[in-house]
């Protein structure tokens, strides 16, 4: 019987390790309400609940006024996953990463662009920076610098769900759109809030999860 004991111990240890990792996954959206999120609306023109809501178990963002909803907690090394789709027409939105300041519609943070045709671009918001961004000599830094994605657009048609997988490790952000590597950027900021943007027209999000490393 002893010869079966060691493999059994290994199997138990692996099972415990897998369970420990599974416990680290966080549902940022619980499928029912937005109790884990705060809201930013440009100029406080309308209550946040008019822009960010839950319908049929998914997050629906109006697109106007501009702003974003952001996690109440901050996160560092993690894998973030989210699905999004356009309602009616392809438009504009983004996933904000490593947000430091939540006081205005374009906070200090990195945007993973979801704008139709550009999903996977990085947009440097609020003075944020990535090592990969190189300002051409003799030019002024634009208000929203962009680090372009690596591969052609691989987004799905209006009404179909797209999937973003974003890994953050020691400030390095790696973005996959529909399982295709689209961008990598190195940021000095290691921890911050996560946000979903309102800009354009209606967009829906679901399965917004985070696994801490």
């Amino acid at each position: 019987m002893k010869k079966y004991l060691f493999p059994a111990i290994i199997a138990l240890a692996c099972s415990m390790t897998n369970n420990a990792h599974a416990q680290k996954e966080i549902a940022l959206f619980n499928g029912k309400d937005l109790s884990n999120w705060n809201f930013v609306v440009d100029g406080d023109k309308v209550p946040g609940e008019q822009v960010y809501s839950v319908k049929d178990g998914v997050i629906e963002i109006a697109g106007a006024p501009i702003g974003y909803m952001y996690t109440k907690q901050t996160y560092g090394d993690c894998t973030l996953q989210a699905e999004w789709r356009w309602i009616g027409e392809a438009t504009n939105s983004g996933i904000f990463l490593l947000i430091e300041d939540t006081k205005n519609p374009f906070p200090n943070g990195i945007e993973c662009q979801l704008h139709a045709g550009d999903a996977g671009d990085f947009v440097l918001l609020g003075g944020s920076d990535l090592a990969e961004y190189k300002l051409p000599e003799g030019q002024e830094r634009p208000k929203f610098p962009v680090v372009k994605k690596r591969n052609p657009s691989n987004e799905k048609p209006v009404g179909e769900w797209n999937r973003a997988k974003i890994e953050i490790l020691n400030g390095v952000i790696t973005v996959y759109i529909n399982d295709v590597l689209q961008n990598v950027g190195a940021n000095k900021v290691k921890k911050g809030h996560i946000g979903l943007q309102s800009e354009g027209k209606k967009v829906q999000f679901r399965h917004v999860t985070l696994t801490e490393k």
Side-chain angles (χ1 to χ4, degrees), residues 164-199:
K165 178 181 177 182
I166 302 171
E167 298 176 347
I168 301 175
L169 183 60
N170 197 32
V172 177
I173 305 169
T174 305
V175 173
Y176 298 85
I177 301 295
N178 294 325
D179 299 319
V180 173
L181 175 64
Q182 286 290 11
N183 226 333
V184 179
N187 189 352
K188 293 181 180 179
V189 178
K190 305 298 191 294
K191 191 172 184 179
H193 300 276
I194 292 166
L196 303 177
Q197 187 187 34
S198 173
E199 183 184 18

Side-chain angles (χ1 to χ4, degrees), residues 23-35:
Q23 290 175 356
K24 293 182 181 180
E25 183 173 275
I26 302 168
L28 297 181
F29 171 52
N30 61 21
K32 299 177 181 179
D33 57 45
L34 300 178
S35 55

Side-chain angles (χ1 to χ4, degrees), residues 72 76 78 85 90 92 95 122 149 156 159 162 174-175 201:
K72 291 182 177 179
C78 65
R85 69 177 178 183
N92 193 12
I95 300 174
F122 286 134
K149 58 190 174 62
K156 297 182 180 180
N162 295 277
T174 305
V175 173
K201 296 185 179 180

Side-chain angles (χ1 to χ4, degrees), residues 35-118:
S35 55
N36 293 335
W37 302 78
N38 290 326
F39 308 135
V40 173
V41 176
D42 184 30
D44 295 323
K45 295 173 183 175
V46 299
E49 292 77 9
Q50 291 186 24
V51 182
Y52 316 97
S53 60
V54 177
K55 296 183 179 180
D56 299 323
V58 302
I59 299 169
E60 185 164 294
I61 299 179
I66 62 171
Y68 59 99
M69 49 184 280
Y70 66 94
T71 56
K72 291 182 177 179
Q73 295 187 36
T74 58
Y75 300 96
D77 293 352
C78 65
T79 298
L80 171 68
Q81 299 191 66
E83 295 181 2
W84 85 96
R85 69 177 178 183
W86 307 121
I87 304 301
E89 64 180 282
T91 178
N92 193 12
S93 185
I95 300 174
F96 292 175
L97 308 163
L98 301 173
I99 300 171
E100 293 187 280
D101 185 352
T102 60
K103 294 179 181 179
N104 64 75
F106 295 103
N108 186 299
I110 304 298
E111 177 184 356
C112 172
Q113 179 68 273
L114 300 184
H115 179 271
D118 298 315

